[in-house]
Amino acid sequence: MNILVTGGAGYIGSHTTVALIESGYNVIIADNLSNSSISTKKNLETITNQELTFYNIDVADNNALENVFSNHHIEGVIHFAGYKSVSESVEKPLYYYNNNLISTLTLLNVCEKFSVNKFVFSSSATVYGDNKPPLTEKMLLSPTKNPYGETKVMCERMLSDIAKSKEHFSVAILRYFNPVGAHESGLIGEAPNGIPNNLMPFVSQVAKGKHKKLNIFGDDYQTLDGTGVRDYIHVVDLAIGHVAALDNLTNGVHYYNLGTGRGTSVLELVKAFERANDVEVPYDLMDRRPGDIAECYADVSKAEKELGWTAKRDIIEMCRDAWRFEKKHHI
Ligand code: NAD
Ligand code: UDP
């Protein structure tokens, strides 16, 4: 089956490409390399031992996208392409609304034109806003406080409306928790531009000596040690979750949390990283980061029951694989 993976050169898209190929799918990647590098194509070819079909196009470019659908008999789409920085979206809302909404709309129009009815969408736990964990798919979404989160809520809404109007449209909306780690080869992983916003890449860079210390944002939350708690999920488990979603797609709209169901505090993650990799991660305790919530973790029972999928890799493996990638590649 031919699957179009938009954003396939990116962090999660590249790992999902590997998982899809390992499960027998044929992958066509469309990515404009706005937040990734063409070297990922070569690294993916090394891991999968096959040549990849890659289009350097903007998914918001209707003609370029139609050309891809004309060249290949696309049977399903996994849509990763989009911008993902919460803080950048607050500074440049229009940039986020333009890219994340127009790419999704264009892609959906082309899918309709070519009668492609299987769609998997990258959403985020951010859509749950201030709901109290464990977060379940049934919860009403609360406002997300940032344009990035709003683009996810809006795309979810578009997809659900389309699924209601078209009998044969099947869509899985996957709400990711905190993806971390890297492929065991160390060839692909998360390589953010500039200073990372997210915890794991920052911890890796401190261990490497790129920054003197980690700033821990807040030690006065109502959590086990006062630091923020998140549901970190190994990116390879997340990637396999996409294959499970695709394999089990049925008509209508389906929402799944992809997480581990376990919360880990910032201090616990730092200690796990030090233990897993035999390195030191010096830190300072700082004020809370504006907009942060205390705790976020998933109820993962729906994905387990309906997709037969659970995350297998623990926090030590996440830290080991993140560090292997950092040491190998990220200068
Ligand atoms: P990423 O930036 O590594 O990958 C996104 C890819 O899409 C990049 O390769 C980029 O070049 C490409 N892209 C962006 N806009 C494009 C466009 N208009 N046309 C073609 N290509 C385009 O990000 P990621 O971490 O792999 O995230 C993938 C998806 O998952 C995103 O939609 C993101 O919002 C969502 N998500 C990510 C996280 C996370 O923590 N990484 C959490 C929840 C949801
Ligand atoms: N965090 C931190 N220092 C950093 C980056 C993040 O203490 O340099 C904390 C942050 O406050 C949160 C947790 O680590 O409690 C996860 O943050 P991240 O940005 O990775 O994910 P998100 O908050 O978007 O879930």
Side-chain angles (χ1 to χ4, degrees):
M1 195 192 268
N2 284 336
I3 304 297
L4 175 68
V5 177
T6 75
Y11 175 46
I12 306 170
S14 59
H15 290 82
T16 302
T17 294
V18 173
L20 286 166
I21 291 172
E22 284 174 351
S23 301
Y25 287 98
N26 187 38
V27 174
I28 292 111
I29 293 179
D31 196 307
N32 65 1
L33 303 177
S34 56
N35 195 36
S36 49
S37 154
I38 192 64
S39 61
T40 301
K41 175 177 183 280
K42 204 156 173 273
N43 289 330
L44 284 172
E45 289 176 340
T46 305
I47 294 170
T48 60
N49 201 22
Q50 61 174 256
E51 270 194 33
L52 270 174
T53 311
F54 183 92
Y55 288 86
N56 181 350
I57 61 161
D58 191 320
V59 175
D61 178 342
N62 189 84
N63 290 344
L65 205 53
E66 285 197 8
N67 180 47
V68 176
F69 281 69
S70 302
N71 290 346
H72 307 273
H73 176 55
I74 305 287
E75 286 156 279
V77 172
I78 306 187
H79 180 37
F80 293 101
Y83 299 148
K84 63 167 178 176
S85 160
V86 169
S87 55
E88 190 182 41
S89 80
V90 175
E91 282 160 32
K92 301 184 201 168
L94 201 50
Y95 185 65
Y96 270 68
Y97 284 117
N98 265 324
N99 192 43
N100 291 7
L101 297 184
I102 303 210
S103 62
T104 306
L105 273 171
T106 308
L107 182 59
L108 286 167
N109 277 314
V110 176
C111 283
E112 182 166 83
K113 183 164 175 183
F114 286 81
S115 304
V116 176
N117 284 318
K118 290 182 192 300
F119 202 95
V120 176
F121 179 66
S122 294
S123 191
S124 165
T126 192
V127 300
Y128 290 115
D130 287 332
N131 277 294
K132 290 274 157 292
L135 299 161
T136 70
E137 292 87 347
K138 281 197 183 126
M139 284 173 164
L140 280 182
L141 306 186
S142 63
T144 67
K145 296 190 187 135
N146 63 76
Y148 164 71
E150 290 307 318
T151 68
K152 292 297 178 196
V153 173
M154 289 177 191
C155 288
E156 286 200 4
R157 184 59 194 268
M158 290 195 293
L159 289 163
S160 127
D161 287 342
I162 295 168
K164 277 185 212 144
S165 76
K166 286 173 72 180
E167 202 191 333
H168 296 297
F169 191 69
S170 317
V171 54
I173 291 176
L174 306 182
R175 295 173 176 160
Y176 312 154
F177 282 67
N178 288 59
V180 294
H183 188 261
E184 60 179 3
S185 64
L187 287 172
I188 53 173
E190 188 175 18
N193 293 325
I195 297 174
N197 283 312
N198 294 113
L199 180 63
M200 185 68 99
F202 204 98
V203 166
S204 305
Q205 294 191 6
V206 171
K208 205 173 182 183
K210 276 176 150 176
H211 312 283
K212 264 201 182 132
K213 283 182 180 177
L214 167 72
N215 291 326
I216 295 188
F217 300 135
D219 65 343
D220 57 351
Y221 287 109
Q222 295 284 321
T223 57
L224 74 166
D225 58 22
T227 66
V229 166
R230 297 289 183 274
D231 185 341
Y232 298 96
I233 172 168
H234 196 297
V235 67
V236 171
D237 280 325
L238 186 65
I240 294 168
H242 288 72
V243 179
L246 197 59
D247 286 345
N248 289 285
L249 258 187
T250 54
N251 289 348
V253 58
H254 310 278
Y255 302 87
Y256 297 106
N257 287 338
L258 297 186
T260 63
R262 283 183 300 278
T264 302
S265 75
V266 177
L267 275 174
E268 284 178 324
L269 186 139
V270 168
K271 295 296 157 208
F273 195 95
E274 291 184 325
R275 203 166 65 245
N277 299 315
D278 198 18
V279 292
E280 276 188 43
V281 180
Y283 61 83
D284 280 331
L285 297 171
M286 314 289 286
D287 288 343
R288 293 180 181 191
R289 184 170 67 176
D292 267 0
I293 48 173
E295 283 195 297
C296 176
Y297 53 90
D299 177 324
V300 289
S301 51
K302 188 172 180 222
E304 185 170 1
K305 194 164 149 225
E306 294 185 13
L307 305 178
W309 170 91
T310 48
K312 301 258 181 324
R313 292 156 179 83
D314 66 12
I315 196 80
I316 293 287
E317 223 167 328
M318 299 179 210
C319 292
R320 203 184 298 140
D321 291 342
W323 179 230
R324 186 186 298 113
F325 176 73
E326 181 68 36
K327 273 193 300 186
K328 227 175 168 168
H329 285 275
H330 203 211
I331 302 151

